[in-house]
Amino acid sequence: MVRAGGRKGSGVSARAGSEDARPSREQVVFGVSGLLAAASTCPALPRPVPSRPGPARLLGQDSKLPSSVRNTLLELFGQIEREFENLYIENLELRREIDTLNERLAAEGQTVDGAELNKGQLKAKASHSTSQLSQKLKTTYKASTSKIVSSFKTTTSRAICQLVKEYVGHRDGIWDVSVTKTQPVVLGTASADHTALLWSIETGKCLVKYVGHVGSVNSVKFHPTEQVALTVKLDDFSHFCLMNQELNGIEAWKTVSYFVIYQNASGDQTAHIWRYMVQLPMPQPTADCNQIAGEDEIEFSDKDEPDGDGDASSDCPTIRVPLTSLKSHQGVVIAADWLVGGKQAVTASWDRTANLYEVETSELVHSLTGHDQELTHCCTHPTQRLVVTSSRDTTFRLWDFRDPSIHSVNVFQGHTDTVTSAVFTVGDNVVSGSDDRTVKVWDLKNMRSPIATIRTDSAVNRINVCVGQRIIALPHDNRQVRLFDMSGVRLARLPRSNRQGHRRMVCCSAWSEDHPICNLFTCGFDRQAIGWNINIPALLQEK
């Protein structure tokens, strides 16, 4: 994960999973005794019988499969054949090595490297070497077959996960994405280009631009019941904007009046209140999104990214001056969220604290301390006065404000690297994602160990859970977005091919379950947000 405002190298972090390395001869051959024991565990693989028809010949005989499917199967069968051929060759080399070392053993009177081995030493050494060799062989087979199984699985989800709309207009990477919970439903994005944008989901048109500060905008959150937005910026300001809606139909436009509260992180550690007007375009007919994209990976260069020179937000209303401000943190504010009811908000900062505010009076109610390193995220429970904060100290903490007189805190320790986000689900579950490439599902009633663990090949950024269907969307550093259920079963991977999908690190995901066009949104450092249509019933049925 890349920390906001401090991008790696050219501003992109794409930690692709390391390739599985086959054990070398030095790793496999642990000595004569180990090889003697290993010989029994490595039977020679039979050579293919020439007269037996291979996969290509079988598929070619009156095959009714489409040519594209047939070619994919042929390629996969070819991969299987090459893997087993390589293992067969390695097995032959290992057997030759065993024979050579056996001859040397007999010639040197059972001495290896000048040391005599008695029966007990030989047995112990053989047992240890056999165990190590067995483990390495299991790892090699598992890594090889998992790639093949993954290739088969991804082909089944093409029609289930479709890219519908791309929201292009930011000039730098997008850290966060969020969707309003009330009408009109709009999309919000927070970017490293120092702006926050609101978008029409249906048309992809930018509705308003927020340029109140000079640093990266790290988070955007909307009020749970009213037209209120909460954004966070890297220049250490916290901004709040409350939106009151008035609708008047004017030809093809709706005029919407907003009084908006934004929370932004900024250098003088203050919170600002903003007011603005936007025009929401009426939905236009959408293009046919039934075209199914292939799953083949395509590498992209910087020239393939959306053109930032054509600024789609240049003609939309711009907010520059705040109405009021609040002072709080001593460092960058990295995330924010609304407590249930919307009268209070919580912010997370690099000063290792989270602050709870009374929005109406701009009063700091509580300062939540205890983390040993910078905070990375904060999230509130949808129905209870609970807050969870995550940190670079490999932990996340649960803060309980249900009892006004007692504010308890519980510490969850289960990750080995930065916890990038922790979010609530319906009931008593919390889902946490980490730079250690795992996602864990926790039961608040039993905090000792997770009830499910998802292991991935890349660091996980800001996750989001589809509350109704209990599906977790995982945005990765390696440009992938994967969907899992709460028990840890992988459901799908969003397509990345034919110049579709993200081309840089994916920073955040957000569900909008009831939207008829796009029910999942993702954003990343390719400077675009993407709206997806996930056929959830078909996805769960395929599982």
Side-chain angles (χ1 to χ4, degrees):
M1 183 196 75
V2 179
R3 289 173 54 179
R7 297 191 285 157
K8 300 177 183 177
S10 61
V12 179
S13 171
R15 296 187 211 154
S18 60
E19 301 221 351
D20 299 306
R22 191 173 289 108
S24 63
R25 180 178 299 178
E26 289 77 14
Q27 291 174 310
V28 175
V29 181
F30 298 98
V32 176
S33 58
L35 291 171
L36 290 173
S40 61
T41 66
C42 299
L45 300 176
R47 289 186 179 275
V49 180
S51 60
R52 185 176 301 167
R57 295 172 61 184
L58 286 174
L59 291 174
Q61 296 175 356
D62 300 329
S63 176
K64 297 180 174 59
L65 295 174
S67 59
S68 59
V69 176
R70 187 165 62 251
N71 292 336
T72 302
L73 288 174
L74 291 175
E75 181 181 352
L76 294 174
F77 283 131
Q79 293 178 17
I80 297 173
E81 184 177 1
R82 287 192 294 271
E83 287 293 332
F84 278 93
E85 184 178 359
N86 291 335
L87 291 174
Y88 177 77
I89 295 173
E90 287 184 0
N91 193 21
L92 291 180
E93 293 178 352
L94 181 61
R95 284 182 170 276
R96 283 195 292 267
E97 189 72 18
I98 291 173
D99 294 339
T100 302
L101 292 177
N102 276 336
E103 294 174 1
R104 187 192 307 173
L105 180 67
E108 297 180 1
Q110 295 187 347
T111 60
V112 178
D113 295 333
E116 288 197 13
L117 296 176
N118 57 35
K119 262 189 177 181
Q121 291 173 325
L122 182 62
K123 185 176 180 180
K125 200 172 184 69
S127 175
H128 176 68
S129 300
T130 302
S131 175
Q132 288 181 314
L133 180 60
S134 175
Q135 183 62 36
K136 288 182 177 294
L137 289 175
K138 286 180 181 179
T139 303
T140 303
Y141 277 112
K142 186 176 180 181
S144 301
T145 56
S146 63
K147 291 181 178 179
I148 299 171
V149 173
S150 176
S151 299
F152 276 113
K153 184 162 188 177
T154 55
T155 59
T156 63
S157 60
R158 295 178 181 176
I160 297 177
C161 307
Q162 298 181 10
L163 187 152
V164 177
K165 183 71 68 174
E166 295 177 341
Y167 304 89
V168 180
H170 282 291
R171 294 178 175 270
D172 207 336
I174 304 176
W175 288 118
D176 199 16
V177 62
S178 183
V179 184
T180 58
K181 299 177 176 62
T182 56
Q183 296 294 330
V185 179
V186 297
L187 179 71
T189 54
S191 172
D193 65 3
H194 308 178
T195 69
L197 302 180
L198 297 186
W199 306 83
S200 166
I201 294 178
E202 293 80 5
T203 66
K205 178 180 176 60
C206 178
L207 304 175
V208 68
K209 178 195 289 188
Y210 171 53
V211 293
H213 292 291
V214 295
S216 171
V217 186
N218 302 325
S219 178
V220 55
K221 287 289 183 289
F222 292 99
H223 194 279
T225 59
E226 303 177 20
Q227 299 298 321
V228 177
L230 178 62
T231 65
V232 179
K233 293 198 174 184
L234 185 62
D235 51 3
D236 299 340
F237 279 85
S238 296
H239 295 217
F240 297 84
C241 304
L242 175 64
M243 303 185 293
N244 290 326
Q245 175 185 356
E246 298 174 359
L247 297 180
N248 296 307
I250 302 178
E251 295 180 355
W253 295 85
K254 295 179 184 176
T255 301
V256 185
S257 173
Y258 296 99
F259 170 62
V260 187
I261 296 182
Y262 284 97
Q263 168 144 13
N264 302 48
S266 76
D268 56 7
Q269 300 98 30
T270 63
H272 289 189
I273 296 177
W274 306 80
R275 186 192 305 271
Y276 64 82
M277 297 283 295
V278 299
Q279 285 186 314
L280 184 64
M282 295 293 290
Q284 301 295 326
T286 57
D288 182 14
C289 61
N290 292 326
Q291 176 125 11
I292 300 175
E295 286 283 343
D296 298 333
E297 292 283 338
I298 296 179
E299 294 297 328
F300 298 93
S301 65
D302 292 343
K303 296 180 180 179
D304 295 320
E305 295 184 10
D307 186 7
D309 295 334
D311 191 352
S313 62
S314 58
D315 58 346
C316 66
T318 301
I319 308 300
R320 301 180 185 276
V321 182
L323 298 178
T324 186
S325 62
L326 306 170
K327 293 186 177 181
S328 57
H329 287 288
Q330 302 302 314
V332 168
V333 182
I334 193 66
D337 204 355
W338 298 94
L339 264 72
V340 58
K343 294 182 179 180
Q344 293 181 326
V346 62
T347 59
S349 172
W350 284 359
D351 64 9
R352 305 183 183 183
T353 68
N355 286 341
L356 183 65
Y357 296 96
E358 193 72 36
V359 175
E360 184 177 355
T361 62
S362 305
E363 177 187 358
L364 176 61
V365 181
H366 294 290
S367 184
L368 313 180
T369 60
H371 282 290
D372 296 329
Q373 295 189 39
E374 298 95 327
L375 272 63
T376 58
H377 191 254
C378 64
C379 180
T380 60
H381 195 280
T383 61
Q384 304 182 60
R385 290 178 56 80
L386 298 173
V387 176
V388 62
T389 57
S390 53
S391 170
R392 290 176 55 84
D393 62 10
T394 73
T395 71
F396 65 94
R397 295 177 178 240
L398 174 67
W399 310 83
D400 190 345
F401 297 100
R402 289 175 293 186
D403 187 342
S405 60
I406 302 176
H407 302 144
S408 62
V409 58
N410 295 302
V411 182
F412 290 76
Q413 297 176 326
H415 291 284
T416 59
D417 205 338
T418 297
V419 181
T420 54
S421 63
V423 298
F424 289 100
T425 65
V426 171
D428 296 323
N429 294 129
V430 171
V431 183
S432 61
S434 172
D435 276 350
D436 64 8
R437 304 183 179 186
T438 66
V439 173
K440 297 177 184 288
V441 182
W442 305 79
D443 187 347
L444 298 182
K445 299 177 182 178
N446 180 15
M447 301 177 295
R448 295 182 180 179
S449 60
I451 59 178
T453 298
I454 301 170
R455 304 188 185 278
T456 68
D457 60 353
S458 179
V460 181
N461 295 313
R462 292 182 176 179
I463 60 178
N464 196 253
V465 179
C466 178
V467 176
Q469 302 296 334
R470 298 171 64 85
I471 300 176
I472 313 170
L474 276 56
H476 290 286
D477 273 7
N478 66 357
R479 303 168 294 174
Q480 301 289 352
V481 180
R482 295 184 174 94
L483 305 181
F484 287 80
D485 67 10
M486 294 287 288
S487 62
V489 176
R490 175 176 159 178
L491 302 177
R493 184 190 71 184
L494 302 191
R496 279 192 63 255
S497 62
N498 295 341
R499 305 182 66 85
Q500 292 185 350
H502 287 288
R503 299 157 186 138
R504 295 289 182 90
M505 172 183 73
V506 188
C507 300
C508 181
S509 60
W511 289 94
S512 180
E513 301 179 44
D514 299 327
H515 199 278
I517 299 177
C518 303
N519 55 2
L520 176 63
F521 298 89
T522 58
C523 66
F525 252 67
D526 53 2
R527 299 178 287 179
Q528 67 174 340
I530 297 179
W532 304 87
N533 182 274
I534 311 299
N535 188 337
I536 294 179
L539 187 68
L540 297 176
Q541 183 179 3
E542 189 176 88
K543 178 183 74 167

